[in-house]
Amino acid sequence: SRGLGDVYKRQQELRFFPDGTGTDDIWFADDWGEVIQSSRVRFYWSWRGSSIRMEYPDGVSFLDNVRLDHNWLEGYLNDVWVDFEGY
């Protein structure tokens, strides 16, 4: 079987707020940009050396080897390389 990520474009947006909270928005869109499915999960975050620890309602995620450069955030999110562009 195929998941939504195999058929539609997947986007993720992480927001980190100064009070140690954040939101994780994920959505899937078709080729025309129409959103097919979306979700928002709130989390708590904190720095752990060069990692960001994110505590979700259903578990913990880590963004390891974090590199911040101008408008970019890069690192390994649960062992998968990701990069995020700020806006």
Side-chain angles (χ1 to χ4, degrees), residues 3-10 28-31 34 36:
L4 283 174
D6 297 326
V7 180
Y8 299 108
K9 181 179 178 184
R10 177 185 188 272
F28 296 90
D30 62 20
D31 290 338
E34 184 178 338
I36 304 302

Side-chain angles (χ1 to χ4, degrees), residues 31-44:
D31 290 338
W32 299 275
E34 184 178 338
V35 174
I36 304 302
Q37 181 178 336
S38 65
S39 66
R40 171 174 280 178
V41 179
R42 298 184 188 282
F43 61 87
Y44 295 97

